[in-house]
Amino acid sequence: MGATIRDVARAAGVSPSTVSRALAGSAVVSPATTERVRRAAAGLGYEPNPVARGLITGRTGNLGMIVPDLANPFFPGVVKGVQARAREAGYAVFVADTDEDPLLEARLARRLARQVDALVLCSPRLSEEELLALAGDVTLVLLNRRAGAVPAITADNAGGTRRAIAHLAALGHRRVGLAAGPATSWSNAERAAGLRAAAAESGVDLAELGGYAPTFEGGVAAADVVLAAGVSAVVAYNDVMALGLVSRFAARGAAVPGRISVVGCDDIPQAVMATPALTTIAVPKERIGRAGVDLVLSLLGHPGASGPPVRELDTQLLVRGSTGPAAATERPRKRAHQ
Amino acid sequence: MGATIRDVARAAGVSPSTVSRALAGSAVVSPATTERVRRAAAGLGYEPNPVARGLITGRTGNLGMIVPDLANPFFPGVVKGVQARAREAGYAVFVADTDEDPLLEARLARRLARQVDALVLCSPRLSEEELLALAGDVTLVLLNRRAGAVPAITADNAGGTRRAIAHLAALGHRRVGLAAGPATSWSNAERAAGLRAAAAESGVDLAELGGYAPTFEGGVAAADVVLAAGVSAVVAYNDVMALGLVSRFAARGAAVPGRISVVGCDDIPQAVMATPALTTIAVPKERIGRAGVDLVLSLLGHPGASGPPVRELDTQLLVRGSTGPAAATERPRKRAHQ
DNA sequence: ACCGGGATCACAAACGATTGCAAGCCTGTC
DNA sequence: GACAGGCTTGCAATCGTTTGTGATCCCGGT
């Protein structure tokens, strides 16, 4: 189909090697020849075949990215950050979705590994051992996950949850629930731990409920359990679940934030669109993506790109309409343990 | 890093070509040798390098998919359909997002073209000429778009809009607005045309407003213009815009559906989560994706896969809470033209 | 004993690019 | 006028795999 380097060479009256050098901008080829080659290449619409080039150079110029679920609005945010930064650096990004399936994640990772220069795994559901094994075979960067010494970008979940608890405590909440996400999620464990620590510090009673699917339906499913747990506020594993909680609360006639306050996590676009707007622990999605690519670049030995192998980005508590003062009549009915 | 075919050949005491044939299951190599090669390959953890193989066979075993905006909840639905069907057929899918930029779309398409066996373009923003040119260079399937004889899967926009208008007319609406999407969008043109035709048939007055960005903000921006257009109902280019409309209507004190009815398009997950739940023209997102891959497979000459080069899938009107009877006091104030 | 022929396998040429090395030309200086 | 040396350019090997073609071996038939 497309023109090959030989066609260009013939058209320009030079050898293929000269074409290669001219197009690569090598200084050893004369300006006149370079121009002639450029013109010939443009005339034929020639573009170097990336797979042929990749075969000899060992680099493909593209990055692989794997996410658990593109339908979860959190991930497109990260993807966009990755794509934007990668584009700036001349890399193309191949995204794959695993439907939250660890097995599929492993297969996709191995499949992608040979076709990309590096792999960016966002919130991987894989076990730590598998992650470490994978890191041995391919340049790997983790997003929202730590595993041994594998380069990673994470968000300050501990700080975020601490601020959320402080916010709720200041509003008079003495007992708050946690609608936890999937057990295989590292972020979930992090957030739960942060919440536990912060609650203990602030003298707040924490009821851990879960783990639910990190979806709207998961939030809906959690809502009734939350209402029965005798809490005046609930922190959801993520915004999508929080939205599910709010929806079910409305159906049950439990006013938000009158009867119960809701705090989400991530700050997805829908959080501010909802009514009431969702108070949430904002995670810098795009920045995580960009930082991940920066890390990849430094790992790949790019000039001008370097930094620590693991970075933690700040989170932010965005106080919006879904949190308010604890109802005066509210008092714990029973203690829930897990 | 990984073992090459030569390593396996040496280990098995045969030539590389025999290894290739043995692993491919060719009948010309003896069962004994095949077994020996198999064992050697397994021992070395050998896996054929896909890029080297791709160089000579011309097939890579992966599909490229390009979407305008992954953050628009419509697209992940289609992506999931594509990935699911592709996976069944043994193909991997590389997804790229163009941020609604036609220029970027063209560049990404050309970049991907050489690394995949076929390209699936979802709602491409490219001009028809560029699309046709691209179709000449690579196996191409269009989703939500027609361009000449390029194989394509679309939804029955005309039928959907007709049902929407019939629904609104039955509710007593005599004048409805259209909050149009981007002018570069083929679906937008299709839906506008369908709406025009259906409105004319039903004796409904149509006010075409637009084109807005197909985003929540676009819907918000359209809302005030819609309210000023003297309509009792509005059909939005898509659900995301419809959500923006509803949000701004609420802020302006215009009750939905009391003062104004809203119809969306696509049936994204958020449509049913919103309050009121969104009446919408449901587009079968996953099915479009799957059908697109089926088309690719038949184009690639896969056995057992074939069908017409263009297919139109059914749409469905989902009546939910955002549409209701026209207010009795409502009457046109002025006619808007475009 | 010789030969035809099927069954196996090895050799080598691709695929399209990059890159070390050698060869060519030109110019300047002795 | 010859030679040294710098600047350009071409040759050929290479990346890891597939695949057409030819070589080898062995067996049975005549």
Side-chain angles (χ1 to χ4, degrees):
Chain A
M1 266 313 114
T4 81
I5 200 173
R6 247 177 282 268
D7 300 328
V8 179
R10 214 171 308 135
V14 295
S15 81
S17 43
T18 302
V19 174
S20 173
R21 278 185 264 256
L23 263 27
S26 168
V28 306
V29 44
S30 78
T33 325
T34 299
E35 187 48 34
R36 195 148 38 93
V37 170
R38 280 245 158 76
R39 219 178 290 278
L44 274 69
Y46 167 78
E47 284 198 47
N49 182 326
V51 341
R53 165 184 293 171
L55 187 56
I56 185 154
T57 60
R59 5 194 71 196
T60 59
N62 35 40
L63 263 36
M65 179 170 190
I66 297 185
V67 300
D69 183 13
L70 277 174
N72 179 340
F74 173 78
F75 294 111
V78 183
V79 170
K80 288 198 171 256
V82 166
Q83 293 205 336
R85 183 72 187 91
R87 190 145 51 232
E88 292 170 9
Y91 281 85
V93 180
F94 296 158
V95 185
D97 167 316
T98 67
D99 275 319
E100 300 269 357
D101 180 357
L103 215 70
L104 192 52
E105 187 170 305
R107 271 207 295 264
L108 277 173
R110 300 246 163 241
R111 172 103 186 232
L112 268 173
R114 307 290 288 265
Q115 321 205 27
V116 300
D117 295 343
L119 222 45
V120 176
L121 262 45
C122 189
S123 310
R125 275 26 174 164
L126 248 32
S127 73
E128 181 149 351
E129 301 83 60
E130 292 180 291
L131 245 25
L132 292 174
L134 200 57
D137 293 351
V138 59
T139 305
L140 192 64
V141 165
L142 266 28
L143 265 33
N144 291 324
R145 172 83 182 255
R146 290 282 166 85
V150 180
I153 309 285
T154 55
D156 177 21
N157 287 301
T161 50
R162 188 173 312 116
R163 281 187 289 274
I165 288 291
H167 168 63
L168 292 174
L171 285 170
H173 297 273
R174 291 288 159 260
R175 178 168 166 78
V176 322
L178 159 63
T184 49
S185 160
W186 183 86
S187 304
N188 181 63
E190 275 277 295
R191 289 169 191 176
L195 235 30
R196 259 190 301 266
E201 276 177 29
S202 309
V204 165
D205 202 12
L206 184 71
E208 297 188 28
L209 286 3
Y212 298 94
T215 61
F216 188 82
E217 290 72 26
V220 170
D224 297 311
V225 178
V226 169
L227 282 180
V231 301
S232 61
V234 59
V235 178
Y237 164 63
N238 69 10
D239 283 347
V240 183
M241 283 184 66
L243 259 18
L245 283 168
V246 170
S247 165
R248 178 65 183 164
F249 288 159
R252 287 278 307 271
V256 174
R259 157 71 177 84
I260 189 164
S261 288
V262 176
V263 176
C265 202
D266 291 348
D267 188 33
I268 62 174
Q270 285 80 6
V272 64
M273 304 177 189
T275 45
L278 210 56
T279 293
T280 192
I281 301 168
V283 174
K285 299 168 286 297
E286 275 89 358
R287 281 178 49 217
I288 288 183
R290 300 186 74 93
V293 176
D294 280 331
L295 204 45
V296 165
L297 259 28
S298 75
L299 256 30
L300 256 29
H302 270 248
S306 78
V310 296
R311 272 182 70 194
E312 189 175 76
L313 268 36
D314 283 343
T315 57
Q316 204 179 342
L317 181 70
L318 300 181
V319 176
R320 294 198 276 237
S322 68
T323 48
T329 61
E330 179 63 36
R331 52 155 193 238
R333 280 182 280 174
K334 67 162 200 167
R335 305 178 65 106
H337 287 289
Q338 184 183 350
Chain B
M1 271 306 121
T4 82
I5 201 173
R6 246 178 282 269
D7 300 327
V8 180
R10 212 170 312 137
V14 295
S15 80
S17 44
T18 302
V19 174
S20 173
R21 275 184 262 258
L23 261 29
S26 167
V28 305
V29 43
S30 77
T33 325
T34 299
E35 188 47 34
R36 196 149 37 94
V37 168
R38 280 244 158 77
R39 220 177 289 280
L44 272 70
Y46 166 78
E47 285 198 47
N49 183 327
V51 341
R53 164 183 293 172
L55 186 55
I56 185 154
T57 61
R59 5 195 71 196
T60 59
N62 34 41
L63 263 36
M65 178 171 191
I66 298 185
V67 299
D69 182 13
L70 276 174
N72 179 340
F74 173 77
F75 294 111
V78 183
V79 171
K80 289 200 170 254
V82 167
Q83 293 206 336
R85 184 72 187 91
R87 189 146 49 232
E88 293 170 7
Y91 280 85
V93 180
F94 296 158
V95 185
D97 167 315
T98 67
D99 275 321
E100 300 270 357
D101 180 358
L103 215 70
L104 192 51
E105 187 171 306
R107 272 206 295 265
L108 277 173
R110 302 246 164 240
R111 171 102 187 233
L112 267 172
R114 310 291 287 265
Q115 321 203 28
V116 299
D117 295 343
L119 222 45
V120 177
L121 261 44
C122 189
S123 310
R125 274 29 173 161
L126 248 31
S127 73
E128 181 149 351
E129 301 83 59
E130 292 180 290
L131 244 25
L132 292 174
L134 200 58
D137 293 351
V138 59
T139 305
L140 192 65
V141 164
L142 266 28
L143 266 31
N144 291 324
R145 172 83 183 255
R146 288 283 166 84
V150 180
I153 308 286
T154 55
D156 177 21
N157 287 301
T161 50
R162 187 173 314 116
R163 281 185 291 273
I165 288 290
H167 168 64
L168 292 174
L171 287 170
H173 297 275
R174 291 288 158 261
R175 179 169 165 76
V176 321
L178 160 63
T184 49
S185 159
W186 182 87
S187 305
N188 181 63
E190 274 277 297
R191 289 169 190 176
L195 235 31
R196 257 190 302 266
E201 278 178 26
S202 310
V204 165
D205 202 11
L206 185 71
E208 296 189 29
L209 285 3
Y212 298 93
T215 61
F216 187 83
E217 290 72 27
V220 170
D224 298 310
V225 178
V226 169
L227 283 180
V231 301
S232 61
V234 59
V235 178
Y237 163 63
N238 69 10
D239 283 347
V240 183
M241 282 183 67
L243 259 17
L245 283 168
V246 170
S247 165
R248 179 64 183 165
F249 288 159
R252 287 278 308 270
V256 172
R259 157 69 176 86
I260 188 164
S261 287
V262 177
V263 176
C265 202
D266 290 349
D267 188 34
I268 62 174
Q270 285 80 5
V272 64
M273 304 177 190
T275 44
L278 210 56
T279 293
T280 192
I281 301 168
V283 174
K285 299 168 284 299
E286 275 89 357
R287 279 179 50 217
I288 288 183
R290 301 187 73 93
V293 176
D294 279 332
L295 205 45
V296 164
L297 259 28
S298 75
L299 256 31
L300 256 29
H302 270 248
S306 78
V310 296
R311 271 182 70 194
E312 188 175 77
L313 268 38
D314 282 344
T315 57
Q316 205 179 342
L317 181 70
L318 300 181
V319 176
R320 295 198 275 237
S322 68
T323 47
T329 60
E330 179 63 34
R331 53 157 194 236
R333 280 181 282 173
K334 66 163 202 169
R335 304 179 66 105
H337 288 291
Q338 184 183 351

